[in-house]
Amino acid sequence: MGELILIRHGETEWSRSGQHTSWTDLPLTELGERQARALVPLLAEREIGLTLVSPYLRARRTAELAGLTAPRETPDLREWDYGAYEGVTTVDIRRTRPDWNLWTDGVAPGPEEHPGESPEEVGARADRILLEVRAASSRLGDADIALVAHSHFLRVLTARYLRLTPASGELFQLATGAVSRLGTEHGKPVVTALNLAIPKGLFDAVGC
């Protein structure tokens, strides 16, 4: 098996303002599109045998601009369902819940179609993705597998890959348009790169 490449989508209006975004299907901003195009040189030397992408527009557009071919939409890659906190910032939540922490407290219940998820429920989705990745790797040989998705979900997936609890995703930061890589060392799961991105000042130099 090659490495598992994790790609967070580029900037949206709500990621810029700090509003929790799960099912609200926002497009990338102009900066977000430039961030996505900046992924091309970061991925150019990788042999990517399979790309799985969240069904949301921001992830699909990021995969397209990053030059990833034939991405397969995978519902389990969607972002954490924030329930009643959809579109709300952490600052606003803490006006009434000063000690609130997504990783340990979860979210307030939302509408019937989006009731919210606990860390454990997000972790179960991450485990399903990892099972799918392991099954695919048996036929891909040394080729990498790319996942294009969302910050909180990918942080939970990183924790589960490392055999940690879902709430341990709190330990990993993922910026918009950033790449991380998960691999192995001596048969053990490791992080081989975390939160890599081309600085905005170099966008023009790399044709973004």
Side-chain angles (χ1 to χ4, degrees), residues 122-174:
V122 181
R125 286 200 282 116
D127 288 347
R128 291 196 295 269
I129 291 292
L130 291 172
L131 282 174
E132 184 173 356
V133 163
R134 292 183 185 112
S137 68
S138 63
R139 60 180 172 77
L140 292 174
D142 293 331
D144 299 325
I145 296 175
L147 306 180
V148 187
H150 312 274
S151 176
H152 283 131
F153 179 79
L154 291 176
R155 291 166 71 176
V156 171
L157 184 137
T158 299
R160 296 302 297 142
Y161 181 86
L162 297 173
R163 303 171 186 169
L164 303 173
T165 65
S168 298
E170 183 177 25
L171 302 173
F172 310 106
Q173 185 183 59
L174 294 180

Side-chain angles (χ1 to χ4, degrees), residues 50-54 59-60 63-64 67-74 146 148:
L50 174 67
T51 298
L52 304 179
V53 61
S54 160
R60 291 186 285 111
E64 176 188 355
L68 295 167
T69 58
R72 191 173 81 210
E73 288 187 31
T74 305
V148 187

Side-chain angles (χ1 to χ4, degrees), residues 64-205:
E64 176 188 355
L65 293 173
L68 295 167
T69 58
R72 191 173 81 210
E73 288 187 31
T74 305
D76 272 339
L77 281 173
R78 66 190 184 277
E79 181 59 296
W80 193 318
D81 186 330
Y82 298 122
Y85 292 156
E86 179 78 358
V88 185
T89 68
T90 296
V91 170
D92 284 339
I93 295 168
R94 287 180 174 168
R95 295 185 197 283
T96 55
R97 299 181 65 182
D99 298 322
W100 178 76
N101 183 323
L102 172 68
W103 301 96
T104 54
D105 300 326
V107 300
E112 182 178 354
E113 62 274 22
H114 293 292
E117 288 180 295
S118 67
E120 292 74 24
E121 288 171 323
V122 181
R125 286 200 282 116
D127 288 347
R128 291 196 295 269
I129 291 292
L130 291 172
L131 282 174
E132 184 173 356
V133 163
R134 292 183 185 112
S137 68
S138 63
R139 60 180 172 77
L140 292 174
D142 293 331
D144 299 325
I145 296 175
L147 306 180
V148 187
H150 312 274
S151 176
H152 283 131
F153 179 79
L154 291 176
R155 291 166 71 176
V156 171
L157 184 137
T158 299
R160 296 302 297 142
Y161 181 86
L162 297 173
R163 303 171 186 169
L164 303 173
T165 65
S168 298
E170 183 177 25
L171 302 173
F172 310 106
Q173 185 183 59
L174 294 180
T176 52
V179 173
S180 299
R181 302 198 311 269
L182 305 178
T184 59
E185 184 177 51
H186 306 305
K188 302 293 185 182
V190 297
V191 176
T192 55
L194 184 67
N195 210 26
L196 302 177
I198 291 179
K200 296 175 190 175
L202 296 179
F203 280 3
D204 291 335

Side-chain angles (χ1 to χ4, degrees), residues 25-82:
D25 207 7
L26 299 176
L28 299 178
T29 62
E30 180 181 352
L31 173 60
E33 295 215 347
R34 298 187 76 190
Q35 288 174 325
R37 285 191 289 270
L39 295 171
V40 173
L42 290 178
L43 302 173
E45 296 182 358
R46 313 296 305 192
E47 180 190 355
I48 298 176
L50 174 67
T51 298
L52 304 179
V53 61
S54 160
Y56 294 127
L57 173 62
R58 57 196 185 274
R60 291 186 285 111
R61 182 63 171 157
T62 296
E64 176 188 355
L65 293 173
L68 295 167
T69 58
R72 191 173 81 210
E73 288 187 31
T74 305
D76 272 339
L77 281 173
R78 66 190 184 277
E79 181 59 296
W80 193 318
D81 186 330
Y82 298 122

Side-chain angles (χ1 to χ4, degrees), residues 4-15:
L4 186 56
I5 300 176
L6 311 182
I7 300 169
R8 183 185 176 191
H9 64 77
E11 181 195 75
T12 68
E13 292 290 349
W14 281 14
S15 68

